[in-house]
């Protein structure tokens, strides 16, 4: 069966001359001087038409390396867009764990690319303060009819993308995904539960007992596995929620909104300490796989694919990220989500990402880019239904098609499109999947055609599966009123960003190292907790919280 992804309609290249942009030297203002109006008129076609330029041009792009995309340069979606637009991209990339460091190096004395996609430089520092990113609000008005329409349909885009100086440096991506609002999921292998004769655990004690029983009958098995870079593949947040709200994907020291309505962190709270002690109990009994905090998502997938289905519990935003639904469908069908587990205090909650849906820093242009209009017109295609479906799923007629009359979408209303190829997260070179920019509103996502009685265990049933699991096991467990809550997006000023730049790096490193040390037992949590708290304050945790709280107050109070 074909993998889920893109198709390519060949459009003839126009002309033979290749114009080279920032890819030939990057930071040189002279080499990358903006075009005159006369040159623009000669180069560009009418806005909203393709190709974008009358002659081929080349630009550079920074893009994240992910395990399921083989090579951006030879990827079919890349080639399709090259033929469609007359724009060739040369790529500079970094793996997920090195993205931030690589971006900072490129911006601070390196040779920045023309554009960054998916991961972009710190807006306050490199845009507002240093002027290394290009303000694009006027260029959006002149070159992006599809994005302008999206901003009208989703008004929050403008507020989310407007920087503290009033300029716009980033194009947003929209993904109003229901199951993503409860992405912090835990999956259990139901085959093993049946063999053990045990029910799905509902409390921390039951969870511990299921792990203990599993290891008794399967000493070489893995009770809990995870990764350090996959989408919600760290087991800590799900388990910590039985003690205190864990925001999950937020980096340490885990910013939240406290019961008093102020910005705070959880990593210095007594409830967090109790959660770490529970995790340490699991680790000491051999339940948590020792590689969980060091292995990447690719290594987790390899572990999950081993013979005998060795893993009992695995955290993941979607099970299809850790088990291929096509090549390993039997194992894939064995995994179902478990609802949040209840702690000793009676707390039982699912993290609800109510502010999710708009990625506000998804496509930025550096100041010396010679062809910013071309870059924005290129990304504007992604804000059409065709562009989003092609970049995400493949080619019309092969991987997707427009819905026919009578077809019904996921929400019971008339469908707008149908996906024809089954999802697979195996390495492929056809499309960009989820590491580009797309326009997926709630209506768009629910407009995918389905059929009555679709098998949710099939590769084609992934959306139905995630909807079902989310509705049944996570939505019924809201965060308690008057408790900790998820923060909305906070924009720091350039001064604020500079003030905590070093603090945030050191705090994140320290809190993460101590979290793993307390869980693994290399640090005694009872004996060394007070010193740990002192360490946080020594690294200016109070200043860190103060800066974020002031920014939150400015924006939301």
């Amino acid at each position: 069966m074909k993998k889920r992804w893109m198709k390519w309609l060949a459009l003839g290249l126009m002309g033979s001359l290749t114009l080279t942009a920032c890819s030939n030297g990057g930071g040189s203002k002279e080499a990358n001087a903006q075009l005159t109006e006369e040159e623009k008129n000669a180069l560009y076609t009418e806005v909203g038409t393709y190709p974008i330029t009358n002659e081929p041009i080349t630009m550079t792009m920074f893009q994240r390396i992910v395990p399921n995309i083989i090579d951006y340069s030879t990827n079919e979606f890349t080639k399709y867009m090259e033929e469609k637009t007359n724009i060739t991209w040369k790529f500079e990339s970094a793996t997920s764990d090195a993205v931030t460091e690589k971006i900072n190096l490129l911006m601070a004395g390196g040779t920045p690319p023309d554009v960054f996609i998916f991961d972009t430089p710190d807006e306050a520092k490199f845009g507002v303060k240093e002027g290394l990113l290009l303000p694009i609000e006027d260029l959006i008005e002149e070159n992006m009819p599809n994005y302008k329409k999206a901003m009208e349909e989703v008004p929050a885009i403008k507020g989310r993308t407007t920087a503290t100086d009033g300029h716009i440096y980033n194009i947003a991506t929209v993904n109003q995904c229901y199951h993503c609002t409860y992405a912090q999921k835990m999956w259990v292998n139901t085959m093993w539960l049946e063999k053990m004769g045990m029910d799905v655990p509902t409390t921390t004690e039951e969870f511990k007992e299921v792990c203990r029983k599993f290891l008794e009958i399967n000493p070489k098995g893995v009770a809990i596995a995870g990764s350090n870079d996959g989408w919600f593949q760290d087991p800590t947040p799900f388990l910590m929620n039985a003690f205190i709200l864990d925001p999950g994907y937020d980096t340490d020291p885990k910013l939240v909104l406290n019961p008093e309505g102020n910005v705070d962190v959880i990593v210095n709270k007594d409830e967090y300490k109790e959660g770490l002690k529970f995790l340490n109990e699991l680790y000491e009994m051999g339940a948590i796989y020792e590689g969980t905090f060091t292995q990447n998502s690719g290594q987790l997938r390899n572990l999950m694919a081993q013979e005998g289905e060795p893993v009992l519990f695995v955290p993941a935003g979607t099970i299809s990220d850790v088990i291929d639904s096509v090549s390993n469908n039997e194992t894939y069908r064995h995994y179902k989500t478990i609802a949040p587990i209840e702690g000793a205090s009676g707390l039982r909650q699912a993290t609800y990402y109510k502010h999710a849906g708009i990625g506000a820093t998804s496509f930025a242009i550096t100041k010396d880019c010679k062809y910013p209009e071309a870059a924005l017109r290129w990304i504007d295609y992604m804000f059409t239904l065709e562009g989003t479906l092609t970049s995400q799923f493949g080619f019309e007629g092969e991987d997707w098609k427009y819905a026919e009359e009578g077809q019904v979408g996921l929400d019971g209303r008339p469908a707008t499109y149908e996906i024809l190829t089954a999802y697979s997260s195996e390495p492929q070179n056809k499309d960009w999947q989820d590491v580009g920019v797309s326009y997926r509103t709630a209506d768009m996502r629910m407009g995918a055609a389905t059929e009555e009685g679709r098998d949710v265990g099939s590769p084609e049933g992934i959306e139905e599966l995630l909807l079902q699991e989310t509705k049944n096991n996570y939505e019924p467990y809201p965060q308690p009123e008057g408790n900790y809550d998820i923060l909305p997006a906070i924009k720091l000023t350039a001064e604020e960003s500079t003030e905590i730049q070093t603090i945030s790096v050191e705090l994140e490193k320290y809190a993460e190292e101590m979290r793993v040390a307390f869980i693994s037992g290399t640090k005694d949590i009872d004996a060394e907790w007070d010193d740990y708290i002192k360490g946080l304050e020594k690294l200016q945790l109070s200043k860190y919280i103060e800066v974020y709280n002031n920014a939150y107050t400015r924006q939301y109070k």
Side-chain angles (χ1 to χ4, degrees), residues 325-326 329-330 332-333 336 454-462 465:
S325 60
V326 177
N329 189 253
E330 182 179 359
Y332 176 82
R333 288 175 180 273
K336 301 296 180 184
R454 174 169 282 176
D455 179 6
V456 297
S458 69
E460 295 82 4
I462 181 63
L465 172 68

Side-chain angles (χ1 to χ4, degrees), residues 385-404:
L385 181 60
E386 176 185 289
T388 286
L389 291 174
T390 303
S391 65
Q392 287 285 310
F393 301 105
F395 294 103
E396 182 183 2
E398 184 179 341
D399 298 304
W400 64 272
K401 68 176 183 177
Y402 292 107
E404 300 174 1

Side-chain angles (χ1 to χ4, degrees), residues 7 27 43 130 154 196 223 254 267 309 337 362 399 539 548:
K7 326 194 174 287
L43 177 63
E130 298 184 7
V154 186
M196 293 186 290
K254 297 186 181 293
V267 296
E309 302 183 24
T337 61
S362 299
D399 298 304
L539 293 174
Y548 269 102

